Amino acid sequence: MSGFLLLTTVSVLGTNIILAQARLDSLKTVDDYMNICLDGEHQKSVPGPELGLVKELCSPWAERSCCSAATARGVHMDRRWLNFDWDHCKTLSPRCREYFLMDLCFYECSPNVGPWLVEDVRKIRNERFRDVPICKSDCENWWEACHDDYTCLDNWATGFDWSSGINTCPQGSSCRPFHQVYSNSSDFCQTLMGGSFRVADNEQDCFYLWFDPTYGNPNEAVARKKASEILNVTYKMVSHSSNHDSGNGAANTSGLTGMVLSAYFFHVLTLRL
Ligand SMILES: *[C@@H]1O[C@H](CO)[C@@H](O)[C@H](O)[C@H]1NC(C)=O
Ligand SMILES: *[C@@H]1O[C@H](CO)[C@@H](O)[C@H](O)[C@H]1NC(C)=O
Ligand SMILES: *[C@@H]1O[C@H](CO)[C@@H](O)[C@H](O)[C@H]1NC(C)=O
């Protein structure tokens, strides 16, 4: 989930671990970091346009995506994508479910996670992302949407019983509302996906799970800046996409409240279903 860390079986092929690390070690330029997708079961090898996403869900990424239209359809139609059952305690509320769908779209489609990839060799992938800086406002909206939903584990990346092939609550755990499981929004966003996200200190250098594509992808400038830091090169603004020039691509979406994003998402969802 955008931190989708829900992996079933660890692949014990040592070669995969070596290959995953070699792939990440081979990234030498900012563009290298911008031109890879997470090495997972469904992601494409390199990001590119997916015109099929225009009228599909996960549509923010149509211009440049790591997921195919078929994957986006799977995310929305298959209630147990990657065999993960969000309703392991109780059916999620529609608002909370929307956020998990956005998170899944982000996980499968975002072309901007390169600088945060680390090896993680499992059945469904060889890499994961860690500490992607999620915007505080986005995190708070997600938390508010799921506040009264139920789960039995604080960290969905580990601890589930996968013996049936689908995650179920382990023996001895009990279902509690999210607001009892987590102390606050940051605890929720950082713990739930096992560290895939870190809540950003400011509203500039941070990622949005979802955005209105008419303003471009606000996460791209954030990823370029991070790649520059990793490589210790001067951050150069890119100008191929109109609204990234300021280096603060998030500016125009940060004003969108969660409700607007939510409404936008619902709109798309309704069109599709
Ligand atoms: C949120 O909860 C965590 C874990 O209990 C705590 O360490 C952190 O200080 C809290 N953050 C805020 C902003 O209250
Ligand atoms: C980054 O590069 C500059 C100039 O080349 C150098 O002075 C500095 O020590 C480098 N920093 C790191 C963390 O490598
Ligand atoms: C945000 O939108 C305004 C008006 O639509 C525009 O002038 C400005 O350049 C945009 N800023 C960014 C960072 O895209």
Side-chain angles (χ1 to χ4, degrees):
M1 311 190 29
S2 351
F4 203 83
L5 329 174
L6 315 163
L7 309 173
T8 54
T9 325
V10 172
S11 154
V12 269
L13 294 176
T15 48
N16 282 4
I17 295 176
I18 293 162
L19 290 176
Q21 195 54 54
R23 184 175 112 105
L24 296 175
D25 288 345
S26 75
L27 304 172
K28 300 295 183 215
T29 67
V30 170
D31 283 337
D32 288 347
Y33 277 98
M34 301 305 292
N35 288 325
I36 57 168
C37 292
L38 184 154
D39 180 6
E41 185 175 356
H42 300 287
Q43 287 86 351
K44 306 192 303 187
S45 52
V46 291
E50 279 295 329
L51 296 183
L53 292 183
V54 170
K55 287 186 181 155
E56 298 287 346
L57 296 159
C58 306
S59 55
W61 290 276
E63 204 178 297
R64 199 159 181 277
S65 173
C66 279
C67 69
S68 65
T71 296
R73 264 195 305 281
V75 163
H76 290 87
M77 299 301 157
D78 180 350
R79 287 189 71 91
R80 288 173 177 178
W81 184 250
L82 301 174
N83 292 325
F84 193 81
D85 183 10
W86 294 326
D87 306 330
H88 46 269
C89 277
K90 212 176 145 181
T91 307
L92 285 189
S93 64
R95 280 189 68 219
C96 180
R97 186 179 157 74
E98 273 177 69
Y99 273 89
F100 280 103
L101 280 172
M102 292 187 226
D103 175 62
L104 262 190
C105 279
F106 181 92
Y107 172 77
E108 298 288 1
C109 308
S110 175
N112 307 123
V113 295
W116 292 272
L117 290 177
V118 293
E119 72 171 46
D120 183 44
V121 176
R122 312 237 190 162
K123 196 171 178 186
I124 62 165
R125 65 182 182 212
N126 292 320
E127 293 162 1
R128 61 170 289 193
F129 48 85
R130 178 177 278 286
D131 289 337
V132 164
I134 186 173
C135 296
K136 197 164 197 304
S137 56
D138 227 14
C139 172
E140 282 171 356
N141 291 331
W142 190 356
W143 167 237
E144 275 164 30
C146 297
H147 202 250
D148 297 323
D149 286 275
Y150 283 75
T151 187
C152 55
L153 285 176
D154 61 346
N155 178 352
W156 287 7
T158 57
F160 275 115
D161 177 351
W162 286 93
S163 54
S164 68
I166 299 237
N167 62 307
T168 55
C169 290
Q171 242 182 352
S173 66
S174 58
C175 290
R176 290 182 298 150
F178 282 34
H179 64 80
Q180 281 181 20
V181 174
Y182 306 99
S183 345
N184 52 49
S185 60
S186 300
D187 185 24
F188 167 71
C189 294
Q190 293 176 175
T191 308
L192 177 78
M193 301 304 174
S196 291
F197 294 111
R198 168 179 69 70
V199 178
D201 315 323
N202 61 53
E203 287 286 314
Q204 269 86 53
D205 297 333
C206 62
F207 268 48
Y208 289 90
L209 275 190
W210 198 260
F211 50 87
D212 179 345
T214 20
Y215 299 109
N217 177 344
N219 301 335
E220 187 180 324
V222 181
R224 281 191 177 274
K225 190 171 172 190
K226 175 69 175 180
S228 307
E229 284 166 14
I230 292 171
L231 297 165
N232 195 13
V233 295
T234 310
Y235 176 49
K236 291 204 188 69
M237 304 299 172
V238 282
S239 53
H240 61 78
S241 179
S242 56
N243 72 326
H244 293 152
D245 298 0
S246 70
N248 181 10
N252 278 354
T253 45
S254 59
L256 290 176
T257 63
M259 290 311 286
V260 174
L261 286 173
S262 235
Y264 176 72
F265 188 82
F266 251 136
H267 172 67
V268 179
L269 193 64
T270 316
L271 281 182
R272 178 67 204 170
L273 298 181

